[in-house]
Amino acid sequence: MNLLDLWLSRSIPMCLLLQSLVLMALCFPSASMCPKGCICQLDPHLHGLNVTCSQSRLKEIPPTLPVNTVLLRLDHNQIGAVPDQAFHGLRVLRELNLSYNAVETLGEGAFSGIEGTLQVLDLSHNRITSVHKDAFARLKARVIVDDNPWHCDCALQQAISGMAHNREATARVLCRSSELHDLEGRPFLAVDTDLCNLAKRTTDYAMLVTMFGWFAMVISYVVYYVRQNQEDARRHLEYLKSLPSKPKKPDEADDISTVV
């Protein structure tokens, strides 16, 4: 065996090994890609990863998630907020489960970047009281929002109107609190009041009350000022009256006697 044959006999197995490693890296996620406390499994039907982080005691959404995640389970944790663009790089995400967490509010960009692919969004059993009016505006997914302490206001009414295609979800929104106390405990869809105009009227009323208060203060000050001046004038007049009369001069007295 010459040197060429020897080199080929050793190089070919090495090339095959490298090819195998490359294929494994492409087909299976590495441990470094999967967030701590999560399990990442390849889904052969959806051609992506199922990332399960359920019951992992997470207090925030993992900052690094595999870009080919198609199903993300973050349920039963202690996540308190969904930052804007938290899922921006997940371009093939189809299902997002955030149920049984401690989320209190949702901003305008909470689901930015996944509007076109997301099919299911589970936000049930959280602490959501309010959302930005455009939080769900571009979502086409089925949204589950059961069991949240909703505060029924103008922003929520606008957000609900943007979910007209998802009537099943909006029908489950119950008012825990509201500016109108008679709405508490009622389904939000039963609200026939324009809460945005109500808020505007409330603001106008507050401005009117404030202006009236300032006007009353000005009038009170003017009345006080006039009365105080009158009192000062009266005291000054009394003081002048209390002064003794001016005594007559001797020359004036002699003139009077001569005339008599």
Side-chain angles (χ1 to χ4, degrees):
M1 179 178 298
N2 56 31
L3 293 177
L4 180 60
D5 294 336
L6 180 61
W7 181 81
L8 291 175
S9 63
R10 293 182 179 180
S11 299
I12 293 176
M14 185 63 68
C15 293
L16 293 176
L17 177 60
L18 290 175
Q19 290 178 356
S20 300
L21 291 175
V22 171
L23 289 174
M24 290 178 65
L26 293 174
C27 296
F28 299 97
S30 64
S32 61
M33 292 173 57
C34 199
K36 183 179 179 180
C38 304
I39 299 174
C40 301
Q41 296 178 329
L42 184 67
D43 190 324
H45 301 289
L46 299 178
H47 305 288
L49 294 180
N50 292 342
V51 180
T52 302
C53 306
S54 306
Q55 298 180 345
S56 298
R57 298 182 180 179
L58 297 177
K59 294 185 178 180
E60 60 182 15
I61 296 171
T64 55
L65 290 163
V67 294
N68 58 336
T69 301
V70 293
L71 191 155
L72 178 58
R73 294 187 177 95
L74 295 168
D75 55 291
H76 291 87
N77 282 292
Q78 303 166 20
I79 298 173
V82 181
D84 288 351
Q85 300 187 351
F87 311 102
H88 188 70
L90 309 183
R91 301 181 181 277
V92 294
L93 186 63
R94 297 191 180 186
E95 183 175 337
L96 174 59
N97 189 343
L98 279 164
S99 62
Y100 292 95
N101 275 286
V103 179
E104 296 182 358
T105 186
L106 295 171
E108 179 181 6
F111 307 107
S112 175
I114 58 175
E115 304 95 330
T117 59
L118 196 65
Q119 298 178 0
V120 179
L121 172 61
D122 192 346
L123 294 166
S124 62
H125 301 279
N126 273 276
R127 302 175 186 173
I128 303 174
T129 57
S130 62
V131 297
H132 189 276
K133 63 183 182 68
D134 294 325
F136 305 121
R138 293 177 291 275
L139 283 178
K140 300 178 181 179
R142 173 174 171 259
V143 183
I144 305 170
V145 292
D146 305 21
D147 294 297
N148 281 286
W150 294 103
H151 177 71
C152 294
D153 58 2
C154 173
L156 180 60
Q157 195 166 48
Q158 290 177 322
I160 293 296
S161 65
M163 297 172 61
H165 63 284
N166 207 334
R167 190 173 181 82
E168 178 185 355
T170 57
R172 296 178 179 272
V173 176
L174 299 179
C175 300
R176 177 71 62 86
S177 61
S178 176
E179 286 87 355
L180 298 177
H181 296 294
D182 58 344
L183 298 181
E184 296 177 0
R186 296 177 57 191
F188 193 73
L189 286 183
V191 177
D192 55 0
T193 303
D194 189 342
L195 296 179
C196 295
N197 281 338
L198 175 65
K200 184 176 183 300
R201 289 197 300 270
T202 302
T203 304
D204 292 344
Y205 177 75
M207 291 179 62
L208 180 63
V209 170
T210 302
M211 292 176 63
F212 179 78
W214 280 106
F215 181 74
M217 288 177 60
V218 171
I219 294 298
S220 299
Y221 176 78
V222 171
V223 171
Y224 171 79
Y225 180 78
V226 171
R227 288 181 177 178
Q228 189 68 27
N229 285 347
Q230 288 178 343
E231 183 67 20
D232 291 343
R234 184 184 64 79
R235 290 177 181 175
H236 185 66
L237 182 60
E238 291 179 353
Y239 170 75
L240 293 177
K241 289 180 178 180
S242 66
L243 293 176
S245 300
K246 185 177 180 180
K248 297 179 180 179
K249 295 181 180 180
D251 295 341
E252 294 178 354
D254 294 341
D255 292 342
I256 294 174
S257 300
T258 303
V259 171
V260 173

